[in-house]
Amino acid sequence: MSTDRYTSPLSERYSSKEMQYIFSQDMKFKTWRKLWIALAEIEKELGLNITDEQIEELKAHQDDINYDVARAREKEVRHDVMSHVYAYGQQCPKAAGIIHLGATSCYVGDNTDIIIMTEALKLVRKKLLNVISCLAKFADEYKDLPTLGFTHFQPAQPTTVGKRASLWLQDFTIDLEDLDYVLDNMKLLGSKGTTGTQASFLELFDGDLTKVDKLDPMLADKMGFKGCMAVSGQTYSRKIDMKVVNVLAGIASSATKMAQDIRLLQHLKEVEEPHEAKQIGSSAMAYKRNPMRSERICSLSRYVIVDTLNPAITEISQWFERTLDDSANKRLSIAEGFLAIDGILDLCMNVTDGLVVYPKVIEKRLMSELPFMATENIMMDAVKLGGNRQELHEKIRELSMIAGDHVKKDGLDNDLLDMIVKDPAFHMTEDKIKECLDPGKYTGCSAHQVERFLAEVVNPILDANKEELGLTAEINV
C-alpha cells in the first residue's frame, strides 16, 4: 500500500471488498464492454451489417481490459469513453468499426451507473436483512426482561429490553420497504442518443420506427432489467440518484438511532456492544470500554445523511438535455455513499449479533425508580381501604419530594415506600407494598407487542429471504 499519498478511509478502513469491487474500475469498464456487446448483438438482430465473427471477437476480450492503452489515449484526447472505444478496438480490429455504433457516451456511462447502483443496492439489502435478523433474535430473547423506560432521558414507565430493541428493528424494516421499492423500479437509460431523441438510431435503421422501438426492450432484457426509461435527455434523470441516496440516508438514520441508544445504555452499564479481549479503550485510561463501534456508526451515518445534498443539488443544476457538472460529483457522492453505508451495516451486524445485557444492573436501576411509579397503584389500593383519593395524592406528592431529596441531596436509597408504610393514612402493610413492586405489573403489553411484531412483520420478511441470511461482518481497524 502506498504511504506517500492520500487514500480513502472508506476503502482502507470501513467498506467491504464486495462493495469496493462494485465500484471498482474493473466492474465499470467490464460493464461498458458488456453494453457494447449487447448493442452490437441487438443491432445485428435488427438487421444491421454486423457479423457473428465481430461479436465473438468483442466477447473474447470482454474482461481483459488494456488499461495502459486506454490511459495513454485519454491523455491525448481527454475523453474517457472514446479512449476505451479505441483501446477495445485495438484488441478487436475486426469489430473496431462497429463498437459504440449509434451511441453517445451516456449509453455506457449512465447505463453502467444504473447497473452498479442496482448491484450495490442488492448488497445493501442483503446486509440490512442480516441486521434485521440479529435484532429480531435479540428482541425475542429479551422481550420479557423489564427495564426502566426513558422519556427526555428521564426515568419513565418501564418497558422491556426486547420491546426497546423492537423500535430499532421497526425502523430497519421501514428502510427495507423503501429499498425494495427503489430497487424494484430501477430502469436502464437505454439507447437514447445525444439528446434523448434516438435520431442516430432512426438514421441507422433507415427511418424504421418499429426497429428503433425494439432497441430499449431488447437491451433491458439482455442486461437483466425490467425496462428502460420512457424518455430522457442525454442522461437519465438525476432524481434517480436522489432516490437511491435517500434510501441510504434512511438506513443511516435508523442505524444512528440504535447506536446512540446503545451508547447511552453502555454509559448506564445496562447493555454493551461487543468488546474484544485485547481492545484498548484509551491511551491513558486503561480501564475504559468505549462504545467505539456504535460511535463509528453514528459518525459514518452523519456523512451519508449529509451526502443526500449532493444528488439533490446535482438534479436541480442540470440544464436542458444535459450538462457535465454532474460527472465529478457523481463519481464521489454515489460511490462514497454506498461505501459508507456498507461499513455502517457491517458494524450494525457486528454490534447486534454480540450485544451484552447486564440484567442485575438493569434490575437495580429499575427498582431504584419503581417506588415513584408504583405510587399510582398504591393510591388506588389505599382508596379501596377507605382512603380519600385527593388527600392521598397530596401525601404521595409530599413524601415523593422528601424521598427525592434523600436520593439527590443526601445520596441515600429511595425510601419513599418505607415512609408510605409508616404513614397511617395509607393503611398498607409492608407485604402489600411489596406486591406493588413487581416490575411485570408496569411493562404493559411489551412482550405481547414484540411477539406480534415479529410474527406479523419481521418473520415473514426473514422467511422470504432465508437464502440471504447468515452473513458475518469482519470489522476493520
Side-chain angles (χ1 to χ4, degrees), residues 33-98:
R33 292 192 172 188
K34 288 178 184 177
L35 285 161
W36 279 322
I37 291 168
L39 182 61
E41 289 177 331
I42 293 166
E43 289 173 336
K44 178 183 181 297
E45 291 168 24
L46 292 176
L48 293 189
N49 186 24
I50 295 173
T51 66
D52 289 335
E53 185 180 17
Q54 288 173 313
I55 290 172
E56 290 307 313
E57 187 181 50
L58 292 175
K59 289 181 176 179
H61 295 282
Q62 176 179 301
D63 295 330
D64 59 326
I65 297 168
N66 47 347
Y67 287 107
D68 54 342
V69 176
R71 287 167 184 152
R73 184 67 171 176
E74 189 170 357
K75 286 183 179 180
E76 296 177 24
V77 300
R78 302 295 181 187
H79 196 288
D80 56 351
V81 173
M82 288 308 296
S83 299
H84 276 268
V85 169
Y86 174 83
Y88 203 7
Q90 292 295 295
Q91 293 175 309
C92 308
K94 295 176 183 177
I98 56 96

Side-chain angles (χ1 to χ4, degrees), residues 140-426:
D140 186 53
E141 182 177 357
Y142 292 101
K143 63 178 180 284
D144 294 308
L145 180 60
T147 188
L148 187 63
F150 291 99
T151 62
H152 316 280
F153 203 26
Q154 302 301 308
Q157 185 175 2
T159 180
T160 69
V161 172
K163 173 62 166 55
R164 178 177 285 146
S166 74
L167 302 180
W168 309 333
L169 179 57
Q170 180 173 243
D171 284 350
F172 284 121
T173 62
I174 293 170
D175 295 327
L176 180 65
E177 184 178 331
D178 291 343
L179 190 156
D180 281 343
Y181 176 80
V182 171
L183 191 56
D184 289 345
N185 287 280
M186 290 294 276
K187 294 179 180 179
L188 292 174
L189 166 68
S191 309
K192 297 294 200 293
T194 54
T195 58
T197 65
Q198 295 184 300
S200 57
F201 295 105
L202 191 62
E203 181 68 22
L204 278 173
F205 294 115
D206 298 321
D208 190 337
L209 275 173
T210 303
K211 289 184 177 181
V212 175
D213 284 344
K214 291 179 179 179
L215 272 172
D216 281 358
M218 292 175 72
L219 178 66
D221 184 63
K222 284 183 180 292
M223 301 308 295
F225 279 75
K226 293 179 180 178
C228 297
M229 293 171 191
V231 294
S232 73
Q234 189 179 107
T235 67
Y236 65 77
S237 170
R238 296 318 186 211
K239 290 188 78 72
I240 305 303
D241 296 344
M242 286 177 60
K243 289 173 64 176
V244 169
V245 177
N246 282 337
V247 166
L248 305 186
I251 296 170
S253 68
S254 300
T256 298
K257 167 68 171 96
M258 177 186 74
Q260 286 184 157
D261 282 357
I262 292 170
R263 290 164 66 187
L264 294 169
L265 290 169
Q266 186 152 330
H267 166 76
L268 297 174
K269 297 180 175 62
E270 293 187 4
V271 177
E272 196 170 75
E273 70 174 33
H275 187 91
E276 295 173 22
K278 295 185 178 181
Q279 182 176 325
I280 296 174
S282 167
S283 61
M285 297 171 280
Y287 59 87
K288 293 195 78 178
R289 292 170 68 101
N290 297 332
M292 51 84 72
R293 290 171 174 82
S294 296
E295 289 175 316
R296 185 177 291 179
I297 289 170
C298 294
S299 183
L300 288 171
S301 293
R302 194 177 308 142
Y303 178 87
V304 175
I305 292 166
V306 171
D307 194 42
T308 57
L309 286 173
N310 278 302
I313 294 171
T314 296
E315 154 64 13
I316 64 175
S317 300
Q318 293 303 286
W319 298 351
F320 303 112
E321 281 66 49
R322 101 140 302 174
T323 59
L324 199 59
D325 59 345
D326 61 339
S327 178
N329 187 285
K330 274 170 58 67
R331 290 173 192 263
L332 294 167
S333 61
I334 303 301
E336 293 190 353
F338 272 106
L339 293 172
I341 205 69
D342 181 69
I344 290 164
L345 287 171
D346 278 346
L347 287 162
C348 287
M349 280 192 285
N350 178 269
V351 169
T352 56
D353 191 40
L355 281 174
V356 180
V357 177
Y358 295 106
K360 295 293 185 183
V361 178
I362 291 171
E363 181 184 20
K364 181 179 179 181
R365 177 164 288 105
L366 176 58
M367 297 310 294
S368 72
E369 298 288 347
L370 199 59
F372 294 117
M373 296 161 199
T375 54
E376 184 175 10
N377 285 12
I378 291 171
M379 183 169 61
M380 296 302 102
D381 289 340
V383 169
K384 291 177 185 177
L385 295 172
N388 179 293
R389 192 267 179 200
Q390 314 311 330
E391 293 175 1
L392 292 170
H393 183 279
E394 179 59 20
K395 279 277 188 182
I396 288 174
R397 190 191 68 79
E398 292 172 356
L399 295 176
S400 295
M401 295 301 105
I402 296 170
D405 284 345
H406 289 167
V407 172
K408 290 183 283 188
K409 292 182 179 179
D410 304 327
L412 302 175
D413 290 336
N414 188 337
D415 60 349
L416 173 61
L417 299 185
D418 291 337
M419 290 189 286
I420 289 175
V421 169
K422 293 173 184 176
D423 194 312
F426 290 89

Side-chain angles (χ1 to χ4, degrees), residues 9-141:
L10 290 170
S11 56
E12 295 296 325
R13 295 173 70 93
Y14 304 136
S15 63
S16 66
K17 292 178 181 178
E18 293 83 1
M19 188 61 81
Q20 289 186 55
Y21 176 76
I22 292 172
F23 287 92
S24 68
Q25 291 189 65
D26 280 354
M27 176 69 174
K28 176 179 178 177
F29 294 122
K30 287 178 183 179
T31 304
W32 281 17
R33 292 192 172 188
K34 288 178 184 177
L35 285 161
W36 279 322
I37 291 168
L39 182 61
E41 289 177 331
I42 293 166
E43 289 173 336
K44 178 183 181 297
E45 291 168 24
L46 292 176
L48 293 189
N49 186 24
I50 295 173
T51 66
D52 289 335
E53 185 180 17
Q54 288 173 313
I55 290 172
E56 290 307 313
E57 187 181 50
L58 292 175
K59 289 181 176 179
H61 295 282
Q62 176 179 301
D63 295 330
D64 59 326
I65 297 168
N66 47 347
Y67 287 107
D68 54 342
V69 176
R71 287 167 184 152
R73 184 67 171 176
E74 189 170 357
K75 286 183 179 180
E76 296 177 24
V77 300
R78 302 295 181 187
H79 196 288
D80 56 351
V81 173
M82 288 308 296
S83 299
H84 276 268
V85 169
Y86 174 83
Y88 203 7
Q90 292 295 295
Q91 293 175 309
C92 308
K94 295 176 183 177
I98 56 96
I99 298 171
H100 200 67
L101 182 59
T104 191
S105 298
C106 289
Y107 168 73
V108 287
D110 274 33
N111 282 317
T112 293
D113 284 351
I114 293 291
I115 291 166
I116 284 174
M117 287 193 293
T118 300
E119 291 306 308
L121 283 171
K122 290 177 183 176
L123 181 56
V124 168
R125 184 180 191 275
K126 186 173 186 177
K127 293 188 175 184
L128 180 57
L129 281 165
N130 279 269
V131 173
I132 289 170
S133 177
C134 291
L135 269 179
K137 292 173 186 174
F138 182 83
D140 186 53
E141 182 177 357

Side-chain angles (χ1 to χ4, degrees), residues 444-457:
C445 302
S446 294
H448 172 68
Q449 286 183 355
V450 172
E451 290 173 349
R452 189 179 65 192
F453 176 55
L454 293 177
E456 295 179 0
V457 178

